[in-house]
Amino acid sequence: MDFFEHQEAARKKTKLLIFYFVLAVILIVTALNLIAYFALSGFSASQGGNEALSLSQWPQQPGFFFTSGAALGLIGLGSLFRWFQLRGGGKSLARMVGAREVLPDSNDRLERRLINVVEEMSIASGMPVPTLYVMDEEEAINAFVAGQESSDTIMVVTRGALEQLSRQELQGVVAHEFSHIFNGDMKINVRLISVLAGILILGQAGYYVMRSLRYSGSRSNSKDSGNLIAVVMIVGISMYIIGSIGLFFGRMIKAAVSRQREFLADASAVQYARDNQGLAGAFIKIAQQSSLLESRYAEETSHMCIAEPIKLNFSSLATHPPIDKRLDAIMPDWQDFQHQQLNKAKRKAERSADEQARREKAKQKKGFEAFGGEGVLAGMGGLIETVGSPTTLHLHAANALLLAMPEVLRTAAHNHHASSHAMYLVFALLVSDNGQVEESVLNLIAEKYGESSKEEVLKLASHMTSNKRYLRLAILDMAIPSIRRLSKTERKNFLSLLKELIHMDKQVSQFEYILYSLVRKSLTPANASSKIYIKRFSKAQTEIQLILSAVVHASQNSEAEKQQLFNTLIVSFSDKKMELLPNNFEAESFHKSLLVLNKLTPLLKKALLNAFEEAIQADGIAQVEEIELFRAICEFLDCPLPRILENYSQDVANKIHGSKH
């Protein structure tokens, strides 16, 4: 299965989750009614009732409606409360579990290593850089990702993972978590927390009922009140027991949803890095030490973690396969590898931080040109097949991109201080687009953020020369986590100014649209409402015509070749004659068309993106501008496109692999 098939499967799995939830609710309500029936029947008999109530008559009694209504109300309120608590997406969940955000400009050595690994994977895979968090109080090794959309994705790792894993092992863990994003698991996992909260609340309600009645019995002397308290106590105990049944169903649902997804994520992580030793090494350390979390939310988030965070008596209810089974799947000879690692640890101490820093500094001198420079962007070669599936070449080339980036730009991207904020980097990308810096643009920036901001933007723009255009989107990706730290008001003001700067010349260029739309998408909260899918191309013919025309015009073909190419490609999406639209980029209509196409089912998106790729490949040259346009299209279709293309020359590939040794 490729990325699009996994997305389609995830869409269907959401329906399966709803089915499991409804089934669990029906069984819980039925069990509560049975207990209420027998409890009230026993109470009636103790009071000398003449006529026993049959079970078949119970659904017509007020007690049935009260019991069912109370149960459904509690379940609904529990799910609604947790959904409301997590409506802010990944960051809300991070706050709930008490994780601390990792600042983009952190000076902590272990946190810097995590940032570098995640940035490499993000650039290689085409995913926005997630906001990083650390659970400082957790010494066990674990990690998870969460979020509703790519714009609010977070990655949480424990302090134990940072301190106990090597860089290679940490990269394996990060690749595993990214695969959950690619495979559509992230959104399902967050929804599952809200769903299960309603099922689990019955047990909590039963506990509070019993606790509130603990002292009531000693103060009640009458027989009637004593019997009533006994009945309520029985109901409370029953709710607690049924809450445990709810916990059982909850774990069954999580196991059904997540166990196979973990095997898939393991395999995908190995595929991305072409390295099974990193993830295998992490699993071996988890088996030797622990993945159990102290957090009181460990039960609710157990299905999201890379390894089982809670202790279970029955392995059949585990949300994760056993570690040894996962190791067998990715490395059949893992026991020999484990023995080798132990011997290696005895023979050689871990390199010091100073040695690592010197080695990285020497490596930076080689720069991106050592790997082929812009020649890396020369070919496309089955690009759609890499959506959601970055290869080892993507990872190495992403690292090369980071090394090619001037240090002043890398520092600015991680900066969230007022004097040199990462948002100045976005302004620098804007003003350096056409090679000429407009004084009026700089003056408006200075008016909003002070005279020093003007100087900072000019300094950053001076490093964005025409031969570094291939770095533009990588620079933007690195800056987004710092910009996300702006308050809601600051974000609004920043986006408003960026839009005003773009419209100063009364027109919006293709790159200006790409820049603004990607920034806005990354900073705008995700819409939690359900998407209504478009299942036929005939429902989006006009939008396909507009986007395909823009992609065709971005190529270096002649006008006649463009017309012929468009005619060849459009027939797959329309049964009527459609013309190539004029080469006149109109940002608003382009954006509206993308929003419509985002409603296509995953498999329809794949066919459409294949056509766009064919249009770009037609002239045999993939220009930076074409790649940026394609990246923006993929971003709005929620299809992560690797920034670095897969079709390296053999010479470039050898250089990349040679740099590792």
Side-chain angles (χ1 to χ4, degrees):
M1 294 174 69
D2 61 13
F3 168 83
F4 301 95
E5 290 168 330
H6 285 309
Q7 291 290 312
E8 183 70 16
R11 186 172 70 91
K12 293 178 180 178
K13 184 150 287 190
T14 301
K15 297 179 181 178
L16 184 63
L17 173 61
I18 295 173
F19 170 76
Y20 283 145
F21 174 68
V22 171
L23 180 62
V25 169
I26 291 173
L27 292 173
I28 289 172
V29 172
T30 300
L32 267 178
N33 271 287
L34 286 173
I35 291 174
Y37 165 74
F38 288 115
L40 290 177
S41 295
F43 176 73
S44 178
S46 68
Q47 298 299 308
N50 296 325
E51 186 177 349
L53 185 68
S54 67
L55 185 59
S56 61
Q57 294 175 311
W58 175 248
Q60 285 82 44
Q61 301 301 311
F64 169 80
F65 295 103
F66 175 80
T67 302
S68 300
L72 292 173
L74 276 174
I75 292 173
L77 285 174
S79 293
L80 187 62
F81 172 77
R82 186 64 82 219
W83 173 84
F84 183 80
Q85 189 178 24
L86 299 179
R87 72 191 187 284
K91 290 188 176 182
S92 298
L93 181 59
R95 287 193 294 268
M96 187 181 84
V97 300
R100 171 183 59 83
E101 184 176 352
V102 177
L103 299 181
D105 60 348
S106 171
N107 291 321
D108 182 90
R109 179 177 63 86
L110 296 177
E111 292 178 3
R112 288 300 319 160
R113 185 182 66 173
L114 174 65
I115 292 170
N116 291 338
V117 169
V118 172
E119 285 180 345
E120 284 179 14
M121 179 61 72
S122 295
I123 292 174
S125 63
M127 287 294 301
V129 180
T131 304
L132 302 178
Y133 287 83
V134 175
M135 299 177 74
D136 288 312
E137 304 302 319
E138 300 289 354
E139 297 181 359
I141 302 173
N142 228 316
F144 65 84
V145 289
Q148 297 286 356
E149 300 292 345
S150 59
S151 61
D152 74 335
T153 302
I154 58 117
M155 180 180 295
V156 179
V157 299
T158 60
R159 173 57 59 180
L162 284 184
E163 294 179 347
Q164 299 177 48
L165 298 181
S166 67
R167 191 185 196 282
Q168 184 183 24
E169 292 162 349
L170 185 63
Q171 188 176 53
V173 169
V174 169
H176 173 98
E177 296 306 326
F178 265 78
S179 69
H180 280 307
I181 303 174
F182 299 145
N183 296 335
D185 302 333
M186 183 177 66
K187 188 181 296 186
I188 293 176
N189 287 341
V190 174
R191 289 176 177 174
L192 196 54
I193 293 177
S194 300
V195 167
L196 296 181
I199 296 177
L200 299 178
I201 198 173
L202 284 174
Q204 297 170 345
Y207 171 77
Y208 286 120
V209 168
M210 291 187 294
R211 185 176 181 181
S212 64
L213 293 176
R214 179 178 298 175
Y215 305 105
S216 299
S218 60
R219 294 195 300 265
S220 300
N221 298 320
S222 69
K223 180 180 178 181
D224 290 346
S225 61
N227 288 336
L228 182 60
I229 290 174
V231 170
V232 176
M233 179 67 78
I234 291 172
V235 172
I237 295 173
S238 301
M239 290 177 67
Y240 184 76
I241 294 173
I242 291 175
S244 300
I245 296 174
L247 177 62
F248 172 80
F249 281 126
R251 287 178 175 172
M252 281 191 66
I253 292 173
K254 288 191 288 187
V257 170
S258 66
R259 292 192 77 170
Q260 284 304 118
R261 310 298 287 180
E262 292 301 321
F263 275 127
L264 174 61
D266 293 344
S268 298
V270 172
Q271 174 189 343
Y272 300 155
R274 293 293 191 272
D275 170 31
N276 59 356
Q277 293 186 0
L279 189 58
F283 284 157
I284 289 171
K285 286 185 177 178
I286 288 173
Q288 292 172 341
Q289 299 171 41
S290 175
S291 61
L292 302 183
L293 300 181
E294 299 292 335
S295 171
R296 64 191 181 99
Y297 296 103
E299 172 69 49
E300 291 187 72
T301 58
S302 61
H303 59 290
M304 307 176 71
C305 297
I306 191 172
E308 197 72 58
I310 56 176
K311 189 173 182 179
L312 295 172
N313 295 322
F314 301 100
S315 60
S316 59
L317 295 179
T319 55
H320 296 67
I323 288 292
D324 57 343
K325 299 292 184 184
R326 298 171 75 177
L327 281 166
D328 287 339
I330 63 174
M331 181 183 281
D333 58 346
W334 65 271
Q335 291 175 324
D336 293 337
F337 173 71
Q338 181 182 21
H339 184 68
Q340 293 170 6
Q341 291 296 98
L342 290 174
N343 289 337
K344 183 178 179 181
K346 292 177 182 178
R347 292 193 307 265
K348 189 174 183 180
E350 187 177 351
R351 292 184 178 91
S352 67
D354 291 338
E355 290 174 343
Q356 177 71 16
R358 285 197 296 271
R359 187 167 61 253
E360 289 295 325
K361 188 173 182 180
K363 191 177 179 182
Q364 287 180 17
K365 294 180 180 179
K366 296 180 180 179
F368 188 67
E369 284 68 25
F371 299 92
E374 282 194 83
V376 171
L377 303 176
M380 293 288 287
L383 183 57
I384 293 304
E385 301 305 319
T386 71
V387 170
S389 302
T391 67
T392 183
L393 288 180
H394 291 104
L395 287 173
H396 296 325
N399 182 51
L401 261 185
L402 293 175
L403 294 178
M405 197 175 296
E407 184 62 30
V408 64
L409 299 183
R410 296 178 66 180
T411 302
H414 293 145
N415 210 325
H416 58 93
H417 302 293
S419 59
S420 55
H421 201 282
M423 61 184 175
Y424 298 158
L425 201 55
V426 177
F427 295 143
L429 285 169
L430 178 65
V431 301
S432 63
D433 179 33
N434 58 11
Q436 294 181 341
V437 180
E438 297 289 341
E439 189 67 24
S440 57
V441 172
L442 293 174
N443 289 337
L444 187 54
I445 295 173
E447 181 182 328
K448 298 290 185 180
Y449 293 106
E451 195 65 29
S452 61
S453 65
K454 175 179 176 180
E455 298 173 1
E456 184 69 17
V457 170
L458 272 175
K459 182 183 75 172
L460 296 174
S462 67
H463 292 275
M464 298 178 185
T465 54
S466 58
N467 64 328
K468 297 287 186 181
R469 292 174 71 87
Y470 59 88
L471 292 172
R472 293 194 297 190
L473 293 189
I475 291 171
L476 178 61
D477 289 333
M478 291 179 63
I480 288 299
S482 295
I483 298 174
R484 284 198 191 114
R485 293 183 57 79
L486 294 171
S487 68
K488 186 176 181 180
T489 301
E490 289 171 333
R491 287 187 187 188
K492 183 179 178 180
N493 293 337
F494 167 64
L495 288 173
S496 177
L497 176 58
L498 183 60
K499 186 175 182 179
E500 185 177 353
L501 295 174
I502 289 172
H503 284 88
M504 284 187 71
D505 59 358
K506 308 300 182 183
Q507 59 183 0
V508 180
S509 69
Q510 182 175 293
F511 178 73
E512 288 173 339
Y513 165 75
I514 292 171
L515 179 66
Y516 179 78
S517 60
L518 291 180
V519 171
R520 189 175 186 277
K521 188 174 188 293
S522 298
L523 299 183
T524 304
N527 187 353
S529 60
S530 299
K531 183 188 298 183
I532 300 176
Y533 284 91
I534 297 175
K535 300 179 180 180
R536 293 194 300 273
F537 285 124
S538 59
K539 300 292 185 180
Q541 289 181 352
T542 303
E543 290 77 14
I544 293 174
Q545 178 190 24
L546 190 149
I547 302 297
L548 182 58
S549 295
V551 174
V552 168
H553 282 305
S555 71
Q556 300 299 307
N557 289 312
S558 66
E559 291 303 316
E561 290 171 331
K562 289 178 181 179
Q563 184 66 60
Q564 182 180 358
L565 178 61
F566 178 85
N567 292 340
T568 301
L569 296 175
I570 196 64
V571 294
S572 300
F573 310 106
S574 176
D575 54 2
K576 61 182 181 181
K577 178 69 173 177
M578 303 196 81
E579 296 292 335
L580 174 66
L581 298 177
N583 186 11
N584 181 24
F585 184 81
E586 210 287 307
E588 185 174 355
S589 57
F590 188 88
H591 185 70
K592 289 180 179 179
S593 296
L594 284 181
L595 294 180
V596 172
L597 296 183
N598 186 38
K599 297 178 182 179
L600 293 172
T601 62
L603 295 181
L604 292 185
K605 288 180 182 179
K606 180 180 181 180
L608 186 61
L609 290 177
N610 271 321
F612 294 158
E613 179 185 349
E614 187 174 343
I616 295 174
Q617 284 182 321
D619 60 359
I621 302 173
Q623 302 290 337
V624 172
E625 291 77 11
E626 290 179 279
I627 296 169
E628 289 176 340
L629 178 63
F630 197 32
R631 157 78 191 285
I633 292 172
C634 289
E635 184 75 24
F636 274 91
L637 298 190
D638 294 326
C639 301
L641 177 73
R643 273 53 157 188
I644 310 301
L645 306 184
E646 188 176 16
N647 191 22
Y648 297 96
S649 68
Q650 189 59 46
D651 179 58
V652 172
N654 289 337
K655 287 181 181 178
I656 291 174
H657 287 299
S659 70
K660 295 181 67 180
H661 304 293

